[in-house]
Amino acid sequence: MEENTPVITSYCDYIENLSDGLEKTLNKKYHDTQYGFPIHNDNELFGRLILEINQAGLSWNTILKKQESFRNAFDNFDIEKIANYKEEDINRLLNDSGIIRNRLKINAVIYNANVIIKLKQEYGSFEKWLESNHPKSKPEWVKLFKKHFKFVGGEIVGEFLTSIGYLKGAHKEDCPIYKTILSCNPKWKDNN
């Protein structure tokens, strides 16, 4: 490694070291306004899970570029609508070049929407289900998610929970956004 090569240890470092352009613009916007911020809307929580599932095996930059296309293709992340998707909806999604066209991921999203509906019936909301299981370590969360959902490995669950403020680590403590996150009372603060 060259002496002048910066060491990237966090998403904050990654953003700082990106060259100006679309990639930096998309990542900075996500870093500054979404990553690590608590979400209190079930459809938006599910939307974040959809994005994390679809990122598996791909670059996060690909997902950020397609984020609005995912929102449009998946009915604004409406859990009830997605739970009722039929084969024609699956075919529509498989033909939508604005999203990741992977049948396993699409089927997992539909399956997971149905799981969330059942959790909402029992707990009142997806968010309340998450809250009822908090706090947990990442391995405990992964085990719980694998028990209920499809296409949710360790990285997907970890990034999902970090991105919505349940697990610490979205931002370095010297990142200006860190203080903003703290003022939003992320769930990981409950552990400290």
Side-chain angles (χ1 to χ4, degrees):
M1 181 181 273
E2 295 179 28
E3 278 185 43
N4 295 333
T5 303
V7 176
I8 308 291
T9 60
S10 70
Y11 192 43
C12 305
D13 290 335
Y14 175 74
I15 301 300
E16 288 301 313
N17 288 287
L18 284 174
S19 300
D20 287 338
L22 178 61
E23 187 176 323
K24 182 162 187 157
T25 301
L26 289 172
N27 278 280
K28 182 148 178 51
K29 181 180 177 189
Y30 181 73
H31 171 274
D32 292 356
T33 64
Q34 295 178 21
Y35 191 56
F37 286 83
I39 298 175
H40 302 292
N41 175 290
D42 278 359
N43 289 338
E44 290 302 314
L45 283 167
F46 185 49
R48 187 66 58 82
L49 184 59
I50 289 170
L51 296 178
E52 293 296 346
I53 286 169
N54 278 277
Q55 189 270 327
L58 301 170
S59 160
W60 186 243
N61 292 316
T62 300
I63 300 304
L64 290 178
K65 288 175 189 170
K66 295 177 177 277
Q67 188 172 9
E68 284 310 307
S69 295
F70 272 104
R71 181 177 294 283
N72 293 331
F74 284 95
D75 287 301
N76 207 31
F77 304 133
D78 186 302
I79 296 164
E80 301 285 334
K81 287 182 181 178
I82 295 168
N84 288 301
Y85 278 5
K86 305 292 183 231
E87 194 61 35
E88 63 262 17
D89 297 295
I90 294 169
N91 289 331
R92 172 183 57 81
L93 293 167
L94 287 170
N95 288 300
D96 187 335
S97 62
I99 65 168
I100 307 304
R101 296 176 288 182
N102 178 303
R103 184 177 283 275
L104 290 175
K105 291 177 180 181
I106 291 168
N107 287 342
V109 167
I110 297 166
Y111 177 89
N112 293 342
N114 281 284
V115 169
I116 291 173
I117 286 173
K118 289 176 186 163
L119 293 174
K120 286 172 68 169
Q121 289 168 351
E122 186 174 348
Y123 293 89
S125 72
F126 184 31
E127 180 183 24
K128 286 182 181 169
W129 177 78
L130 289 166
E131 289 173 353
S132 74
N133 285 289
H134 178 72
K136 287 191 180 309
S137 66
K138 180 182 169 184
E140 290 170 327
W141 277 114
V142 171
K143 185 176 179 180
L144 179 67
F145 268 69
K146 284 185 171 193
K147 178 180 172 186
H148 293 284
F149 300 103
K150 287 189 177 179
F151 220 102
V152 288
E155 287 304 308
I156 291 169
V157 173
E159 275 304 308
F160 170 67
L161 293 167
T162 301
S163 78
I164 64 169
Y166 273 76
L167 293 176
K168 190 174 181 179
H171 298 272
K172 294 176 12 178
E173 290 186 19
D174 64 351
C175 173
I177 303 303
Y178 183 81
K179 287 182 181 174
T180 306
I181 297 283
L182 284 178
S183 71
C184 296
N185 294 312
K187 293 302 286 182
W188 59 260
K189 271 180 62 177
D190 298 350
N191 300 348
N192 294 334

